[in-house]
């Protein structure tokens, strides 16, 4: 009986869970206030590309593979070896999406102690 009660209590939250992978596949997330800087996800959901503000040009400067950890958390790992040290890893936890805006918690996955950051993006 307890298990049934717990399932009934969790059911509404499961029903409204968003499928972020479907929502952002094929889209570019641009940092709030920027024209180019952000991350673009391939339409098949397997790859992503980091963009930086580079003057008039808007070209990707880092190719990543995509691994979804759950329905709202994605891990991006550098695809091409650019140095002898470990690949760059980015962990993004989607907090909300409203229209073409999203709030993401960027979870620190590098060496040393750095705080996680909440960032806002425009979905294009």
């Amino acid at each position: 009986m307890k298990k049934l009660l717990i399932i009934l209590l969790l059911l509404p939250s499961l029903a409204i869970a968003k499928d972020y992978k479907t929502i952002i596949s094929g889209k570019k997330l641009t940092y709030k206030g920027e024209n180019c800087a952000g991350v673009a996800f391939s339409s098949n959901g397997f790859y992503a590309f980091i963009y930086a503000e580079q003057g008039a040009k808007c070209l990707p400067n880092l190719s990543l593979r995509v691994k979804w950890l759950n329905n709202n958390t994605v891990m991006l790992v550098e695809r091409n070896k650019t140095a002898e040290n470990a690949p760059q890893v980015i962990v993004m936890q989607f907090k909300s999406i409203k229209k073409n805006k999203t709030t993401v918690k960027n979870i620190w996955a590098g060496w040393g102690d750095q705080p996680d950051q909440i960032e806002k993006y425009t979905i294009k």
Side-chain angles (χ1 to χ4, degrees), residues 3 15 19-20 23 42 79 92 94 96 124:
K3 288 182 184 178
D19 181 5
Y20 290 96
I23 294 169
S42 66
R79 286 178 62 196
M92 301 173 77
F94 290 87
S96 68
K124 298 181 178 180

Side-chain angles (χ1 to χ4, degrees), residues 90-106:
I90 300 165
V91 179
M92 301 173 77
Q93 184 178 58
F94 290 87
K95 300 308 235 173
S96 68
I97 288 185
K98 294 178 185 170
K99 296 185 181 180
N100 69 332
K101 308 287 183 197
T102 185
T103 301
V104 175
K105 180 179 184 181
N106 283 324

Side-chain angles (χ1 to χ4, degrees), residues 29-32 37-39 50 90-96 101-107 115-122:
L29 308 181
T30 304
Y31 287 113
K32 184 179 178 181
V39 58
I50 295 289
I90 300 165
V91 179
M92 301 173 77
Q93 184 178 58
F94 290 87
K95 300 308 235 173
S96 68
K101 308 287 183 197
T102 185
T103 301
V104 175
K105 180 179 184 181
N106 283 324
I107 299 170
D116 297 340
Q117 295 182 340
I118 301 296
E119 296 180 342
K120 297 189 184 280
Y121 296 89
T122 300

Side-chain angles (χ1 to χ4, degrees), residues 74-99:
V74 63
M75 179 175 65
L76 308 172
V77 180
E78 186 175 4
R79 286 178 62 196
N80 303 320
K81 188 174 181 178
T82 57
E84 292 301 317
N85 53 356
Q88 183 174 341
V89 176
I90 300 165
V91 179
M92 301 173 77
Q93 184 178 58
F94 290 87
K95 300 308 235 173
S96 68
I97 288 185
K98 294 178 185 170
K99 296 185 181 180

Side-chain angles (χ1 to χ4, degrees), residues 57-68:
K57 294 184 179 181
C58 186
L59 301 171
N61 60 351
L62 184 61
S63 179
L64 307 156
R65 66 182 167 84
V66 175
K67 170 79 174 173
W68 284 89

